Amino acid sequence: MEVVIRPNADAATDLVARVIARELRDNPRLVMGLATGRTMESVYARLVQMHREEGLDFSACRTFNLDEYVGLSSNHANSYRHYMNHHLFLQVNIDLQNTHLPDGMAADLVAECANYERLIAGNGGIDLQLLGIGQNGHLGFNEPLSALRSRTRVKILSPVTRAQNVPLFPRPDLVPHRAITMGVGSILDCRGCILLATGEEKAAIVAKAVEGPITSMISATALQLHPECTLILDEAAGSQLKESDYYHWVFENQPEWEPFRAVSSPIAKSGFQAKRQLEKQSVEAMSDVLE
Ligand code: GLP
């Protein structure tokens, strides 16, 4: 896990968008895992801007969203399909056929979940998973006690999660009680993941997710098990981390972050790929020394 703390929400959001853009430029057929929530809105706005101003091309990429409410149709204003169409898909040159969310209206929800897993696997798995974090530390809708090896399934939303989502609905009682969500195990299968958290209200849960023990009570702690996971935070969301000086030091000194340290710099070579290449080079250099 790596933790990058940027001075403010705009800078954190911009960094996330630039990493995604670079991965997409390196691999136009990228399979992206996407997230929803208020935090992601500005990431999508930035990607839309990059599409318009820099020609960022979404035509060949494929997307899988983390979750969808049970009982909301795709054209319901509060469905995540509607959110994604509105904030990203209809504003860029993505092929809607390549965008996937679970169907919360499926007659057989169990079959729908199994099918979603098959669809992801059939597309070669997720290259880059974008994540937010709920107030209780959920990823997607993996509520407390979600098994660390769980797969896509239906979850009951906790009172905390329903309360967190009330402002997005016309009335509190309209917040659905259930959602289909990729499991913690499904998320951990992705090749790389980036979690974005901004704002003071995320500080306590971020500190637990990064520096606390791994527990199914907080699904985000499972990210400590992922070999290619980066948390990108603003100062406020990172304000309760004990080791923030160390995280700053890593960001300032890790070669792979070089192109991203300046506020605005050309899109550089693939992040995860570059990191793997650097690791390979160090192993080779080490072997040369030992020979
Ligand atoms: C919902 C989504 C999560 C997301 C969370 C964060 O619960 N299911 O995937 O991480 O919202 O929301 P916000 O960015 O609004 O804090």
Side-chain angles (χ1 to χ4, degrees):
M1 178 183 276
E2 256 186 286
V3 178
V4 176
I5 305 171
R6 304 308 283 149
N8 52 52
D10 279 352
T13 302
D14 185 59
L15 179 56
V16 171
R18 285 161 65 205
V19 172
I20 295 171
R22 186 192 51 190
E23 297 294 317
L24 194 51
R25 286 185 166 111
D26 277 1
N27 174 14
R29 286 183 50 76
L30 194 71
V31 179
M32 283 193 281
L34 298 176
T36 49
R38 280 151 291 194
T39 314
M40 293 304 142
E41 290 178 13
S42 41
V43 175
Y44 298 139
R46 184 78 184 92
L47 289 173
V48 169
Q49 186 190 10
M50 287 174 173
H51 168 69
R52 290 185 183 148
E53 294 175 4
E54 302 164 25
L56 185 63
D57 181 15
F58 291 82
S59 61
C61 78
R62 292 150 293 159
T63 68
F64 287 89
N65 267 76
L66 284 168
D67 46 13
E68 178 60 282
Y69 290 113
V70 168
L72 299 193
S73 66
S74 56
N75 54 12
H76 189 289
N78 291 114
S79 71
Y80 281 165
R81 163 55 79 178
H82 184 272
Y83 171 107
M84 289 309 305
N85 284 348
H86 176 73
H87 289 290
L88 184 66
F89 299 155
L90 297 181
Q91 308 214 45
V92 296
N93 64 335
I94 203 163
D95 181 349
L96 278 181
Q97 307 253 36
N98 289 339
T99 67
H100 306 279
L101 286 92
D103 178 5
M105 295 293 282
D108 184 341
L109 292 171
V110 174
E112 171 63 15
C113 294
N115 190 43
Y116 201 63
E117 288 274 339
R118 270 196 298 275
L119 207 53
I120 294 173
N123 277 270
I126 291 172
D127 294 310
L128 181 62
Q129 176 70 56
L130 183 58
L131 296 163
I133 185 169
Q135 296 288 2
N136 60 4
H138 71 209
L139 301 177
F141 275 129
N142 287 287
E143 299 289 54
L145 288 181
S146 287
L148 300 181
R149 295 175 65 181
S150 52
R151 312 300 305 184
T152 302
R153 70 224 182 285
V154 174
K155 285 297 286 183
I156 302 286
L157 305 187
S158 71
V160 170
T161 296
R162 291 191 71 239
Q164 188 188 339
N165 284 297
V166 161
L168 302 170
F169 284 80
R171 289 201 328 259
D173 58 303
L174 295 178
V175 181
H177 286 78
R178 296 188 301 160
I180 294 180
T181 179
M182 277 167 58
V184 181
S186 330
I187 293 169
L188 291 179
D189 280 353
C190 68
R191 284 183 271 281
C193 56
I194 300 180
L195 184 148
L196 172 66
T198 57
E200 181 76 47
E201 66 281 7
K202 296 285 171 71
I205 197 66
V206 162
K208 286 182 185 166
V210 176
E211 295 174 341
I214 296 174
T215 167
S216 62
M217 285 301 288
I218 301 172
S219 61
T221 62
L223 296 175
Q224 295 174 28
L225 297 168
H226 198 289
E228 295 287 354
C229 175
T230 305
L231 268 74
I232 299 180
L233 314 170
D234 65 354
E235 285 284 355
S239 59
Q240 293 191 29
L241 290 166
K242 292 195 181 74
E243 303 295 337
S244 50
D245 287 350
Y246 171 62
Y247 311 141
H248 280 298
W249 190 91
V250 171
F251 182 71
E252 290 307 325
N253 290 282
Q254 185 88 290
E256 71 176 282
W257 288 115
E258 175 72 42
F260 292 101
R261 279 185 212 122
V263 173
S264 185
S265 61
I267 301 300
K269 217 169 152 248
S270 149
F272 296 116
Q273 286 169 20
K275 188 173 176 198
R276 276 192 283 273
Q277 197 182 326
L278 274 172
E279 283 166 358
K280 195 165 160 264
Q281 281 166 355
S282 354
V283 170
E284 282 166 4
M286 189 65 82
S287 318
D288 287 349
V289 169
L290 293 175
E291 271 170 13

